[in-house]
Amino acid sequence: MTGRYVALGSSMAAGPGIRPTASGAPFGSGRSAVNYPHLVATRLGHDLADVTFSGATTANVLHEAQRGTPPQITRIDGTEELITVTIGGNDVGYVPFLFAAGLPRFVASVPLLGGKVRELLDPAARDAALDRVPTALAAVGRALRAKAPDARILFVDYLTLLPPAGTPAPPLSDTHADTGRRIADTLKRHTETAAADTGCEVVHVADASVDHHAWSADPWTTRVGLPLPGRPAPLHPNAAGMRAVADLVVAALT
């Protein structure tokens, strides 16, 4: 082994539904044995501690337990050679917004569920969340740098989910697709700023995957739909996407 590698982040790093499941993965984590952290570790010979967890927010990285698992940062002991982190989307409700936008309109009027759907689709709520995320991402970068001063720390941003403006993304309306693009672009920009301001690096996955969105002929992510057993989660990386992200991470390191 060439060094210790800790992988942090949410489902976009964990790889829910991509078979096989990682050995010992906690229930609900959605952690795949062929997610990009596992692929990077295998290719570079690193000793991997993968604590990625579906649904994770920056708070779950820093100070909040998730489904009984400690905050992800507790696995960092200062001996790391490499740390990767893919986070921030759940702070702003990025994929949940797209899920909600893909539901039939009548769902917004269903008791209890309708209120959550309306909140997710509220542009003002998404803007307020986006306003908070720069501080949260910078806090992640500072904390990781403080705990592992000698590590390479890479913010790995999000695969592009949506096609370019003007290209339909059914069942999403053009308005919802435009909002989704704005959320993704803003999150990418805030990730780049947080990395630069905290002495970390960025792997520009979003830019590299523009031609591999979920509606493309060669997708690295999945479209809107219902979660099905044995298949990658909707609006998440597929196996090809994870391999592509691993390639980009390895290229950034070598």
Side-chain angles (χ1 to χ4, degrees), residues 11-109:
S11 56
M12 292 297 189
I18 303 176
R19 298 288 183 91
T21 300
S23 177
F27 177 76
S29 66
R31 197 178 298 157
S32 170
V34 288
N35 61 15
Y36 83 73
H38 279 80
L39 297 175
V40 168
T42 298
R43 288 176 60 177
L44 298 181
H46 283 313
D47 180 12
L48 174 66
D50 182 1
V51 292
T52 59
F53 208 113
S54 295
T57 65
T58 54
N60 297 127
V61 171
L62 294 177
H63 54 77
E64 286 186 7
Q66 189 177 9
R67 289 181 178 259
T69 63
Q72 295 180 19
I73 199 171
T74 60
R75 291 297 297 274
I76 295 175
D77 62 17
T79 65
E80 290 74 23
E81 182 174 317
L82 173 65
I83 297 169
T84 59
V85 57
T86 300
I87 204 70
N90 289 320
D91 290 59
V92 302
Y94 174 37
V95 169
F97 165 81
L98 295 178
F99 270 122
L103 293 172
R105 286 190 178 184
F106 76 85
V107 177
S109 61

Side-chain angles (χ1 to χ4, degrees), residues 34-36 39 43 220 238-249:
V34 288
N35 61 15
Y36 83 73
L39 297 175
R43 288 176 60 177
W220 290 351
N238 58 25
M242 282 299 184
R243 291 191 296 269
V245 176
D247 289 344
L248 292 165
V249 172

Side-chain angles (χ1 to χ4, degrees), residues 6 45 75 101 124 147 149 153 157 164 198 205 217 227-228 235:
V6 177
R75 291 297 297 274
K147 290 206 70 172
I153 302 175
D157 67 14
T198 59
V205 170
L228 296 173
L235 294 168

